[in-house]
Amino acid sequence: MTDANTERFALRLKGISKTFGGLQALDDVDFEVRAGEVHCLAGENGSGKSTLIKIITGVYQPQKAELFELFGEAVRSISPTGARNRGVSVIWQDLALFSHMSVRENICFDDMVGLTPKGVHYGEMDRKARAVLERLGVPLELDIPLEALSIARRQIVAIARALMNDARLIFMDEPTASLSRSETDHLLDIVRKLSADGVAVVFVSHRLAEVLEIASRVTVLRDGRLVGVYDCADMTQVRLGELMTGQLIENKVVARDRVDAPKVMEVRGLSRAGEFENVSFDLHAGEVLGLIGLIGAGRTELAHVLMGMRAPTAGDMRVEGRPFRPSSIRDAIRQGLAYVSEDRLSLGLLQKQPIEDNTVISVLHKLLTRLPLLSMRKRDALVRSWVDKLGVKIGRPSDLISTLSGGNQQKIVLAKWLATEPKLLILDSPTVGVDIGARAGIFRIVRSLADSGLAILLISDEATEVMFNSDRILHMAEGQIVAEYDPRKMTVPELEERVYA
Ligand code: ADP
Ligand code: MG
């Protein structure tokens, strides 16, 4: 049936079920995407999002499908090539690109496969590839090797490849997990552009603000079942979080006065030329100090100076009253600081290593072995006890770290650092790529660490995150601390207004 009604849909699925062994990954799920729509697929880790995408793109066969239509045509069975030929593409999280090949070869890959060198029309291919990059507003050189590009740029290449295949339905599985704010904004612009051109985009993301910003509708999955389909215009982050987790996400201010507690860190007039200037603050034992600002405000640069990774050009720091001028990150760690970086995926963990090695053998491991008082065995025991305390869900310790969810990866990073027994913990955007349920878990840990006396500097660009987890909030903009707020005397919209306006 191809009446006007069905043609308006890029995709219609009804009654999709899929099991893996005894596990019901999808249970009678319906899913519809309108032509040219930006549609979000939301759900906690393990809710079945990727499985659904893999069924639509022919990677998995469903056990049961009552209806499967692409662009108004019934689909009996589909292979990855068949999906591509019907105009369906996926941008996987690992991008499935070839890093040693050129931009050209990556974009034109599917056109080149199966052709003899003689059969390839290079001139025509280049013209088409350039036109696609032009359309995306990113005129990349075709000759450069992919490995020379940032992750954000590689993603553009993956999108360009999809467009070379005349994709009219593109799935993006957590595309922003390892992008910065400005890279994310750029990607969202591209998604809008695709949608305006009539390409439907199905977007998977853990960042609820981003979901509500980009999508017109959202389909929520929980434990392999459809919770519902909602218009984003009527949806709030809190409600969406509740639908995803099935729990009331308690967003309440937990701020307490800690300013009478001993000062763990004092910073006075700290500057680093060109990055930030005249930053002053105190951080007390047991206090969670939120540091909010946009990307580029100088927050991460400040964290790097506190951690001894770069030297300040002016100003003073003290830790527990003693002058503090770390000469290196190792020196900062020795004096009681710990730092969970923003860039967990590329810096914090070795993705290709087993979990056990990641908790004990890591960049930090090398630092730890230099700590005079800590024997290897004692250190390993310490890390393991933290893994237990933080409730990290792991299969076998020998599994690759990349098999863990973002939330559990982040807990492993935390465990490594807590094993150094720090006095001050700097958390830089700790929930990037972490789903909403796991976020709540991480912040419960943060709170209990603070209750046990740890001083915590919580860097974030999300108003809700600092609002509901900090005792005080510093606002940084263009390299300066511009205000201090009390979470008890402010609302999230007010804070957003100040920070994002
Ligand atoms: P999401 O993408 O929402 O995080 P997935 O679709 O990846 O969820 O996973 C849904 C469930 O199916 C999870 O419990 C996951 O462990 C399981 N699963 C996914 N792929 C496989 C597979 N190839 N073999 C066994 N179990 C799988
Ligand atoms: Mg997934």
Side-chain angles (χ1 to χ4, degrees), residues 109-120:
F109 186 78
D110 297 314
D111 281 356
M112 287 164 68
V113 173
L115 293 179
T116 59
K118 268 191 186 162
V120 181

Side-chain angles (χ1 to χ4, degrees), residues 420-437:
T420 68
E421 302 183 318
K423 301 167 193 144
L424 193 161
L425 173 64
I426 300 173
L427 295 169
D428 196 346
S429 309
T431 60
V432 167
V434 172
D435 76 33
I436 179 151

Side-chain angles (χ1 to χ4, degrees), residues 20-21 23-26 43-52 54 60 173-174 204 206 221:
F20 293 108
L23 184 115
Q24 185 94 35
L26 290 174
E44 290 197 280
N45 279 319
S47 59
K49 305 177 299 290
S50 297
T51 302
L52 187 59
K54 286 178 181 166
Y60 295 151
D173 200 352
E174 300 189 40
V204 178
H206 289 312
L221 297 180

Side-chain angles (χ1 to χ4, degrees), residues 12 53 75 116 145 193 268 304 334 369 436:
R12 290 179 77 203
I53 295 173
V75 174
T116 59
K193 216 176 277 183
R268 292 291 174 273
H304 286 176
R334 204 173 43 78
T369 53
I436 179 151

Side-chain angles (χ1 to χ4, degrees), residues 2 8 19 23 30 42 48 93 111 124 145 153 210 243 252-253 258 265 283-284 290 308 343 355 383 385 445 459 475:
T2 55
R8 286 179 22 243
T19 54
L23 184 115
D30 301 344
Q93 217 177 358
D111 281 356
E124 192 184 316
R153 291 266 148 130
E210 181 177 290
L243 291 166
K252 61 172 204 255
V253 171
R258 300 297 303 185
M265 176 169 255
L283 181 45
H284 302 84
D343 203 355
I355 296 163
V383 173
S385 79
I445 292 167
I459 301 177
H475 176 190

Side-chain angles (χ1 to χ4, degrees), residues 36 71 83-91 97 106-111 125 127-138 154-172 187 189-201:
F71 307 105
R84 201 161 61 226
N85 292 340
R86 287 171 182 262
V88 181
S89 277
V90 197
I91 316 296
L97 297 172
N106 272 289
I107 294 182
C108 306
F109 186 78
D110 297 314
D111 281 356
M125 223 163 55
R127 262 193 304 283
K128 200 171 164 195
R130 286 211 180 84
V132 164
L133 288 171
E134 192 81 4
R135 179 172 161 200
L136 296 175
V138 188
R154 290 181 202 196
Q155 224 164 36
I156 306 287
V157 169
I159 296 170
R161 179 205 281 187
L163 294 178
M164 282 294 274
N165 292 322
D166 299 314
R168 286 177 294 154
L169 172 58
I170 299 183
F171 290 86
M172 297 189 183
L187 182 71
D189 281 343
I190 285 178
V191 168
R192 285 190 196 97
K193 216 176 277 183
L194 292 172
S195 162
D197 283 353
V199 177
V201 178

